[in-house]
Amino acid sequence: MDFTTYWQYSDMVTRTLFFLLLALSIVSWVTGIIRILQSRKLAASVADDLSAQIHSKQARLIDTDGATRRLVIEQTLLKHIGRYRFASERGLPILGTTAAIAPFIGLFGTVWGIFHALHNIGVSGQAGLGQVAGPVGEALIMTGLGIAVAIPAVVFYNLAVRINRRVMYHANDRAHDLLAQSADIAASQQPSVQQSTAYSTSSANQTPSTKSMSSEQKAVQSSEPYRKSAPSQLS
């Protein structure tokens, strides 16, 4: 059985389904290969890229307090991890849809081909085994084509999902490390803040006493002329 023999029993519907399965097969192969390559590249660079993003953000948060810095870093991590997840899932709907509908397209082509073959047999009036087996068997080729299209799509989909899980693992692991580093930096900066606060408090406490001493000195200086003139008046 060659392709020419199969093609002569097909009609417009069967040929349309054949080209649809061929297009789905090409799209799934191209999408699957590109998706796996990009996911592997993302898995290798996601941790370093996330560290670079957070370090650049920390450089602009030096003058902020620990709570504000932690909040900003957490929001930045969530934003970039969401972007990595979105980037790693591109193309997966195409693979999943192809894996789901390709067998049913092939089955529909088989049913339509059998119907078409039996209709031709009924018109010709020849109902022998040789007249039935050939067209029916060739119509079953559509089921095989549908399965042949669906199997690579399923394989590519599962491989891509497995690599994407590794991408998310590396991203979350590095995110926890960066949060721990930010907590350590905040803890190291807290004693210096406390010392500056204590210094400002002591300065504030010393200021009223200094003012009171200066007022007392002024009172003593103002009373000195009266002290000097008091003895002269008594004599």
Side-chain angles (χ1 to χ4, degrees), residues 18-63:
F18 175 81
F19 285 116
L20 179 60
L21 288 175
L22 181 62
L24 287 175
S25 178
I26 295 174
V27 170
S28 64
W29 274 90
V30 173
T31 303
I33 293 173
I34 293 175
R35 179 68 272 152
I36 289 176
L37 293 177
Q38 290 181 351
S39 295
R40 289 173 64 90
K41 182 179 179 180
L42 186 61
S45 62
V46 62
D48 295 335
D49 184 67
L50 194 61
S51 298
Q53 295 291 338
I54 297 302
H55 288 325
S56 64
K57 182 68 69 174
Q58 286 179 345
R60 289 175 288 180
L61 297 174
I62 297 177
D63 298 332

Side-chain angles (χ1 to χ4, degrees), residues 6 11-24 104-110 112-113 142 145:
Y6 163 74
D11 60 349
M12 184 60 65
V13 176
T14 305
R15 293 176 182 179
T16 302
L17 295 176
F18 175 81
F19 285 116
L20 179 60
L21 288 175
L22 181 62
L24 287 175
F104 295 101
I105 294 175
L107 183 61
F108 177 75
T110 298
W112 183 264
M142 292 297 295
L145 290 176

Side-chain angles (χ1 to χ4, degrees), residues 49-65 68-70 72-73 75-77 79-80 83 185 189:
D49 184 67
L50 194 61
S51 298
Q53 295 291 338
I54 297 302
H55 288 325
S56 64
K57 182 68 69 174
Q58 286 179 345
R60 289 175 288 180
L61 297 174
I62 297 177
D63 298 332
T64 59
D65 56 346
T68 304
R69 185 185 300 108
R70 183 177 179 84
V72 172
I73 291 175
Q75 296 300 320
T76 304
L77 289 173
K79 180 181 71 175
H80 286 287
R83 289 180 179 178
I185 293 173
Q189 291 180 352

Side-chain angles (χ1 to χ4, degrees), residues 139-166:
L140 292 173
I141 294 176
M142 292 297 295
T143 302
L145 290 176
I147 296 173
V149 173
I151 289 176
V154 172
V155 173
F156 283 130
Y157 182 86
N158 291 330
L159 288 176
V161 169
R162 181 70 182 89
I163 298 173
N164 290 341
R165 288 178 182 174
R166 187 170 62 186

